[in-house]
Amino acid sequence: MAAEKILVVDDEQSMTQFLGIVLRKEGYSVTTVNNGKDALERTRAEDFDVVITDIKMPGMDGIQLLQGIKKHDPSLPVVIMTAYASQQSAIDAVNLGAFQYLIKNAKNDEIKLVVRNALEMRRVRTENLYLKRELKRGHDEKTIIGSSEEIIRVFKMVDKVADSDATILIQGESGTGKELIAKEIHYRSRRAQGPFVSINCGAIPRDLLESNLFGHVKGSFTGAVRDAAGLFQVAEGGTFFLDEIGDMPHATQVKLLRALQEREIIPVGGTQPIKIDCRLVAATNADLEREVAEGRFRADLFYRLNVIPIKLPPLRHRRDDIPLLVDHFLKRQPSGPDQKTVSKEAMEVLMKYDWPGNVRELENVMERALVLDESGVVEPEDLPEKIRFGIQQRGTLVIDSPTLTLEELEKEYILKVLHHTRWQKKRASEILGINASTLYRKLIGYGFEKGTGQEADGQPGEHAA
């Protein structure tokens, strides 16, 4: 087992030598430095288990070092050394997160005890963090379902980027699970202990969006009866998820860009900047590059957000995941001897549908089918008509020779739909999105119907070749 690593920091070389000797005798791996700046760099480059630092040092003192370490690794115990037990700065250091303070002339046994306690706390915190991450990972794996190549590619990207602090832009159609991916990133990151805060930019009135994001000061606008923190501050130490960022007004985009660049915000009506420490994950179902090209989204903000892009595939591009998702939705139903199933025929129908609403639409369809079904087995007739009948006409339209006029193309398509519905004109008009009388007039115009009467549904006309 590797020796636990301790970093000793003091501008007095005799003190670092003394502590190095005492602690090495206990079997620890001890590194000594003589100023706060070097110490901070070492903690960023190496993994230490405990830091022992003098509180008074030229340049970066012990308090500043403590604050720098806590930003990088909040779970790393820092022991502050001071000349006097009652020194207020030592007490302040503990209030700022130091593990404990030691008197410089403390006995060896006391030093060893404090270090052992700090190491024990480090172990408990590390185990706690690991268990929480594993627990959350297991929970989220139950909600993000899929084994297709497309979704596995997304999972691998999440694994790669979760532990960094880089800004991430998630792109995907509505219902593909953008917020679930954002949460997955958060709970696999070192910020998992911090809050996950989200806002839908399209759901907040434009006038209130800035206040929600950056906060406001009392009296800055009607109704601002007291100071209020923005969500950037609420997300301190955690992850801030900005959904539908393509809907953000231009003026707010400018302020968001500043927040990302400067890592600080200015509340609405305020003048003093406030430092922020949160990771930003944004998402959109819009084509932001096109929005930039058309002047509706700032190019500089887009490039600032698009540091690591993650594209979520629509469900129609990962049809292999549909049985897994259906099984997941079935299992979420109350368990018991009457656990419902889905027939092979119904599953084939579900697999062929294009799912424009993606996983969210599939979830709603399954909930409906399970509620309405009384036999215990979901059959095709338990599914909505658009799922059953909207399958074949939703294939790719292939035009071998693009020489048809729009009118000729319309005629061909109407005939195709009529063949599909076996000349059930009511059903055909529903698929075409026109009323039956309009369809009838078009058929008369094509010469497939006589103006003196209508054929009954399901009785193909004599011209229906």
Side-chain angles (χ1 to χ4, degrees):
M1 182 177 174
E4 286 147 319
K5 298 176 68 176
I6 299 173
L7 178 65
V8 176
V9 191
D10 199 313
D11 59 318
E12 295 178 28
Q13 199 165 2
S14 59
M15 193 65 193
T16 57
Q17 286 176 343
F18 165 70
L19 287 173
I21 292 169
V22 171
L23 296 172
R24 286 188 186 104
K25 281 185 179 178
E26 293 298 300
Y28 303 126
S29 171
V30 181
T31 301
T32 60
V33 294
N34 298 112
N35 64 73
K37 184 180 177 185
D38 287 350
L40 190 57
E41 289 177 359
R42 295 297 291 264
T43 58
R44 288 172 176 165
E46 300 176 43
D47 289 328
F48 289 98
D49 297 299
V50 175
V51 175
I52 302 174
T53 179
D54 189 11
I55 197 166
K56 284 191 175 180
M57 293 184 290
M60 179 181 286
D61 63 20
I63 297 292
Q64 292 170 315
L65 175 59
L66 168 69
Q67 291 172 325
I69 289 173
K70 289 301 174 185
K71 283 186 179 178
H72 170 67
D73 184 356
S75 67
L76 178 58
V78 178
V79 177
I80 296 285
M81 290 186 298
T82 179
Y84 304 100
S86 60
Q87 193 173 45
Q88 184 60 40
S89 55
I91 297 170
D92 292 342
V94 174
N95 290 333
L96 288 170
F99 173 71
Q100 195 168 334
Y101 64 80
L102 266 175
I103 307 299
K104 277 202 166 183
N105 59 359
K107 294 179 180 177
N108 290 0
D109 287 343
E110 189 178 353
I111 295 170
K112 294 173 191 174
L113 178 62
V114 168
V115 169
R116 280 201 299 272
N117 288 341
L119 287 169
E120 182 60 26
M121 189 191 72
R122 173 72 161 173
R123 275 193 292 271
V124 170
R125 283 183 175 176
T126 302
E127 289 172 5
N128 187 39
L129 183 62
Y130 172 78
L131 290 173
K132 282 188 175 180
R133 284 190 187 184
E134 288 302 304
L135 187 64
K136 196 61 192 174
R137 183 195 295 255
H139 170 74
D140 282 355
E141 281 174 352
K142 291 177 185 174
T143 55
I144 304 175
I145 305 297
S147 61
S148 62
E149 287 184 16
E150 291 79 3
I151 204 68
I152 292 297
R153 199 175 300 126
V154 171
F155 288 154
K156 286 182 178 176
M157 178 61 88
V158 169
D159 279 335
K160 284 182 183 176
V161 305
D163 236 6
S164 79
D165 250 357
T167 303
I168 292 176
L169 179 62
I170 304 171
Q171 293 177 289
E173 297 178 4
S174 294
T176 50
K178 295 187 285 295
E179 183 160 357
L180 287 178
I181 291 296
K183 285 182 178 176
E184 185 76 7
I185 291 168
H186 170 70
Y187 287 114
R188 292 190 185 188
S189 75
R190 68 186 64 168
R191 294 179 178 272
Q193 297 304 304
F196 176 87
V197 178
S198 68
I199 186 173
N200 186 321
C201 298
I204 306 292
R206 294 187 168 213
D207 295 342
L208 296 179
L209 184 58
E210 280 190 27
S211 171
N212 276 266
L213 293 175
F214 309 117
H216 63 256
V217 298
K218 179 181 177 181
S220 55
F221 54 85
T222 304
V225 294
R226 59 178 178 272
D227 292 354
L231 293 180
F232 267 105
Q233 292 168 268
V234 176
E236 183 75 9
T239 302
F240 190 19
F241 176 56
L242 280 171
D243 199 4
E244 304 304 348
I245 197 164
D247 293 337
M248 181 175 284
H250 234 263
T252 312
Q253 291 176 29
V254 177
K255 294 190 175 181
L256 176 61
L257 177 65
R258 184 184 182 283
L260 289 174
Q261 288 176 333
E262 306 299 329
R263 307 303 297 174
E264 64 182 28
I265 58 173
I266 299 177
V268 175
T271 56
Q272 295 301 314
I274 299 171
K275 289 291 181 185
I276 54 172
D277 176 26
C278 62
R279 183 189 201 173
L280 189 73
V281 178
T284 180
N285 60 10
D287 182 348
L288 280 192
E289 288 187 83
R290 189 171 67 185
E291 296 290 304
V292 169
E294 296 177 357
R296 289 191 292 271
F297 200 85
R298 291 182 64 95
D300 43 11
L301 178 58
F302 170 70
Y303 295 122
R304 197 78 191 180
L305 293 171
N306 200 36
V307 178
I308 297 177
I310 295 179
K311 291 194 176 181
L312 294 188
L315 188 53
R316 62 183 174 279
H317 290 176
R318 55 180 189 108
R319 295 181 191 273
D320 292 347
D321 289 335
I322 291 176
L324 293 176
L325 288 160
V326 169
D327 184 58
H328 171 72
F329 296 137
L330 287 172
K331 287 177 179 173
R332 284 203 325 195
Q333 298 301 307
S335 59
D338 299 328
Q339 183 71 51
K340 294 185 178 181
T341 59
V342 174
S343 72
K344 180 182 175 184
E345 293 76 15
M347 186 63 79
E348 288 176 355
V349 171
L350 294 170
M351 292 282 285
K352 289 178 180 176
Y353 185 60
D354 271 353
W355 300 106
N358 293 293
V359 179
R360 186 182 297 132
E361 183 181 12
L362 173 61
E363 183 178 10
N364 293 339
V365 166
M366 287 306 302
E367 183 178 350
R368 172 189 183 277
L370 291 169
V371 169
L372 298 180
D373 173 72
E374 295 179 348
S375 68
V377 180
V378 175
E379 298 289 352
E381 52 268 27
D382 296 318
L383 302 174
E385 278 197 2
K386 69 173 183 178
I387 308 292
R388 286 183 286 150
F389 297 109
I391 299 167
Q392 295 180 19
Q393 84 277 12
R394 289 181 180 273
T396 302
L397 179 63
V398 177
I399 302 174
D400 294 328
S401 177
T403 57
L404 296 176
T405 65
L406 194 58
E407 185 178 359
E408 289 170 336
L409 186 63
E410 179 189 76
K411 175 183 171 184
E412 288 296 319
Y413 183 62
I414 288 175
L415 287 175
K416 194 172 184 68
V417 173
L418 285 166
H419 281 303
H420 170 65
T421 61
R422 298 183 180 182
W423 280 77
Q424 294 182 48
K425 299 184 192 67
K426 182 179 177 184
R427 177 63 194 140
S429 62
E430 289 174 355
I431 293 174
L432 291 165
I434 59 178
N435 60 44
S437 61
T438 301
L439 175 60
Y440 188 65
R441 282 198 301 275
K442 286 181 179 292
L443 292 177
I444 291 175
Y446 300 150
F448 293 133
E449 294 284 0
K450 296 178 182 179
T452 53
Q454 298 185 19
E455 295 172 275
D457 274 352
Q459 299 297 320
E462 57 195 24
H463 304 287

